[in-house]
């Protein structure tokens, strides 16, 4: 009798595993079909095996690749939950796939085939932009702007700003980077926080952050500049340009940003490598127009008070007024070039100790004990922004002077 029981148990066990393996294989094939439908823009095939809304949300995104790898399947009767890794690349921007965790719910149809009821971020993963709604896409000369809940005109404004920022940063930093940016514009602050997988309070008052892998090689997903639309809308035209140029600077310098880079030049986030900019610039005192004898003073619009939002330690202030205090050639392009060499020199060190000291001495000719030199370096990346925007500000000043005559 005992031997007979053992034989029955072994037969049940042997019969159970093939059934489980068969279910996993069926679900993986379902996910492969779902991936093919996304890449081939086949709405009919997609909606045959999953909800139409999910397809509509992501159909405008130019994917170069999209695939799932099933990691776990929990099957109960006619329903199941699946854990999977989603890997995708945006065409023309990602040189390596973005990989994120997803949690899917499945059900069996009347003809015994699996159907995807929902596809959501895994428990510890951030949202993707299409999880928040239908994505609209605007492509620029140097940028790809993707938004949810934004008008076409609004996204086009972001495109214009980003397309201006890229050549400005290249002029200051150099061309040894991708020279294009991906900008994500969610509908709300909560949407921004969802993309970053963090509470909204962590980013209130911050106009934008940049996500990416510090010290990344040439084969990596493109950095994403993620905008807080609520804070960004409170900025004026110059402030908006400063923020996008500031974040683009982080994209350009990413490959040279390592653990040895001064912490004042970058800000850690829950993902470990995001950088940010405050939502507003400090107010500039109003300027009194010069009055010439016999001439009426020129009409100018009233001064708009800037926002004074608290800045957290480690965040880099946008560099409209940033400067390299005390460093030689401070006001010219040579100073910007030397800053770039300093930043690169720090990043080449394998360890943090000694990195800043050696770069200060070899590149800038100052020591860590020099208060003027250190103050300049702490605002280093913003100096690149100032250089990139300087030509535009000079043109506006000259134009204002001509109009006032």
């Amino acid at each position: 009798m005992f031997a007979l029981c053992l034989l029955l148990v072994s037969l049940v066990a042997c019969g159970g595993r093939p059934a489980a393996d068969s279910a996993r294989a069926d679900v993986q094939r379902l996910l492969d079909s779902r991936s093919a439908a996304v890449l081939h823009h086949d709405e009919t095939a997609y909606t045959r095996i999953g909800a139409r809304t999910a397809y509509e949300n992501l159909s405008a995104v130019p994917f170069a690749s999209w695939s799932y790898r099933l990691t776990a399947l929990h099957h109960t009767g006619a329903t199941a939950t699946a854990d999977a890794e989603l890997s995708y690349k945006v065409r023309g921007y990602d040189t390596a796939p973005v990989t994120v965790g997803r949690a899917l719910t499945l059900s069996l149809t009347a003809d015994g085939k699996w159907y995807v009821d929902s596809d959501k971020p895994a428990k510890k993963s951030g949202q993707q932009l299409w999880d928040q709604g239908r994505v609209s896409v605007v492509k620029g000369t140097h940028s790809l702007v993707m938004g949810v809940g934004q008008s076409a005109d609004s996204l086009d404004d972001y495109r214009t700003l980003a397309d201006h920022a890229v050549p400005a940063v290249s002029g200051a930093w150099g061309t040894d980077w991708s020279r294009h940016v991906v900008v994500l514009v969610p509908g709300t602050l909560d949407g921004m926080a969802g993309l970053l997988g963090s509470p909204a309070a962590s980013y209130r008052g911050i106009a934008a952050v940049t996500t990416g892998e510090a010290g990344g090689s040439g084969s990596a997903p493109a950095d994403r500049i993620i905008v807080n639309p609520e804070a960004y809308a409170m900025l004026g035209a110059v402030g908006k340009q400063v923020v996008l140029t500031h974040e683009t600077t982080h994209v350009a310098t990413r490959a040279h940003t390592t653990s040895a880079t001064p912490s004042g030049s970058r800000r850690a986030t829950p993902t470990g490598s995001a950088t940010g900019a405050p939502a507003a610039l400090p107010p500039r005192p109003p300027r009194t127009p010069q009055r010439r004898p016999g001439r009426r003073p020129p009409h100018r619009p009233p001064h708009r008070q800037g926002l004074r939002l608290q800045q957290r330690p480690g965040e880099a202030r946008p560099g409209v007024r940033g400067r390299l205090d005390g460093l030689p050639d401070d006001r010219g392009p040579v100073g910007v070039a030397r800053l770039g060499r300093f930043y690169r020199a720090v990043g080449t060190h394998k360890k943090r100790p000694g990195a800043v000291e050696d770069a200060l001495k070899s590149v800038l000719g100052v020591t860590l004990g020099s208060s003027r030199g250190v103050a300049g370096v702490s605002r280093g990346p913003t100096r690149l922004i100032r250089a990139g925007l300087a030509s535009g500000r000079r043109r506006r000043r000259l134009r204002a002077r001509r109009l006032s005559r």
Side-chain angles (χ1 to χ4, degrees), residues 100 182 189 194 214 256 276 319 350 371:
V100 294
V182 178
L189 168 62
H256 298 275
K350 295 181 179 179
S371 60

Side-chain angles (χ1 to χ4, degrees), residues 291-352:
R291 182 174 181 178
R292 296 182 180 181
R295 296 180 66 91
R296 296 179 61 185
H299 171 73
R300 292 201 177 120
H303 172 70
R304 181 172 294 178
Q305 181 78 2
L307 299 176
R308 289 185 176 273
L309 301 183
Q310 184 177 2
Q311 187 177 22
R312 294 180 291 178
E315 289 173 359
R317 184 177 296 273
V320 168
R321 299 179 209 165
R323 62 187 184 278
L324 287 174
D325 296 329
L327 294 182
D329 301 310
D330 172 18
R331 297 183 181 277
V334 176
V336 176
R338 294 181 71 195
L339 172 61
R341 292 199 299 272
F342 165 77
Y343 200 92
R344 288 177 171 91
V346 173
T348 59
H349 275 253
K350 295 181 179 179
K351 296 181 180 180
R352 180 69 179 270

Side-chain angles (χ1 to χ4, degrees), residues 53-385:
T53 302
Y55 178 83
E56 293 174 345
N57 286 353
L58 55 79
S59 60
V61 181
F63 291 111
S65 68
W66 177 287
S67 63
Y68 293 93
R69 184 177 69 86
L70 183 64
T71 58
L73 179 65
H74 311 284
H75 181 199
T76 305
T79 62
T81 59
D83 299 327
E85 286 185 354
L86 168 64
S87 297
Y88 68 87
K89 291 193 294 185
V90 174
R91 180 175 288 105
Y93 294 88
D94 293 327
T95 57
V98 176
T99 301
V100 294
R102 305 294 290 182
L104 300 93
T105 58
L106 313 169
S107 61
L108 283 171
T109 61
D111 57 357
K113 296 181 179 180
W114 288 108
Y115 182 90
V116 179
D117 295 312
S118 68
D119 180 350
K120 298 180 179 180
K123 189 173 183 179
K124 295 184 178 180
S125 297
Q127 293 179 330
Q128 301 303 300
L129 190 60
W130 48 87
D131 290 325
Q132 300 178 4
R134 189 164 190 165
V135 178
S136 298
V137 179
V138 175
K139 191 177 188 305
T141 305
H142 306 289
S143 62
L144 182 72
V145 180
M146 298 188 285
V148 169
Q150 304 289 330
S151 67
D153 289 343
S154 176
L155 293 181
D156 195 59
D157 289 341
Y158 284 105
R159 176 199 59 78
T160 300
L161 295 170
D163 280 350
H164 177 82
V166 169
V169 170
S170 294
W173 174 254
T175 58
D176 59 335
W177 63 293
S178 64
R179 284 175 287 169
H180 55 231
V181 293
V182 178
V183 182
L184 305 183
V185 190
T188 63
L189 168 62
D190 288 336
M192 177 196 193
L195 295 176
L196 295 165
S198 299
S202 301
Y203 300 100
R204 183 167 286 109
I206 303 301
V209 299
T210 300
T211 64
E213 179 184 355
S217 64
S219 179
D223 291 359
R224 266 60 167 171
I225 297 175
I226 303 177
V227 175
N228 173 0
E230 296 175 12
Y232 202 81
M234 301 171 74
L235 295 172
V238 174
K240 289 177 179 178
Q241 183 65 74
V242 167
V243 168
L244 257 295
T245 309
H246 177 93
E247 299 306 322
T248 301
T249 303
H250 288 299
V251 176
T253 59
R254 177 71 65 201
H256 298 275
T257 303
T258 67
S259 58
T261 305
S263 59
S265 301
R266 56 194 178 94
R267 176 173 59 86
T269 67
T271 60
S273 59
T275 53
L281 302 174
R284 177 176 294 179
R287 299 173 64 181
T288 304
Q290 297 286 337
R291 182 174 181 178
R292 296 182 180 181
R295 296 180 66 91
R296 296 179 61 185
H299 171 73
R300 292 201 177 120
H303 172 70
R304 181 172 294 178
Q305 181 78 2
L307 299 176
R308 289 185 176 273
L309 301 183
Q310 184 177 2
Q311 187 177 22
R312 294 180 291 178
E315 289 173 359
R317 184 177 296 273
V320 168
R321 299 179 209 165
R323 62 187 184 278
L324 287 174
D325 296 329
L327 294 182
D329 301 310
D330 172 18
R331 297 183 181 277
V334 176
V336 176
R338 294 181 71 195
L339 172 61
R341 292 199 299 272
F342 165 77
Y343 200 92
R344 288 177 171 91
V346 173
T348 59
H349 275 253
K350 295 181 179 179
K351 296 181 180 180
R352 180 69 179 270
V356 175
E357 292 88 338
D358 290 349
L360 283 171
K361 185 176 180 179
S362 63
V363 178
L364 302 179
V366 296
T367 64
L368 192 59
S370 170
S371 60
R372 299 184 73 188
V374 173
V377 171
S378 69
R379 290 193 295 272
T382 65
R383 181 63 177 90
L384 294 175
I385 301 167

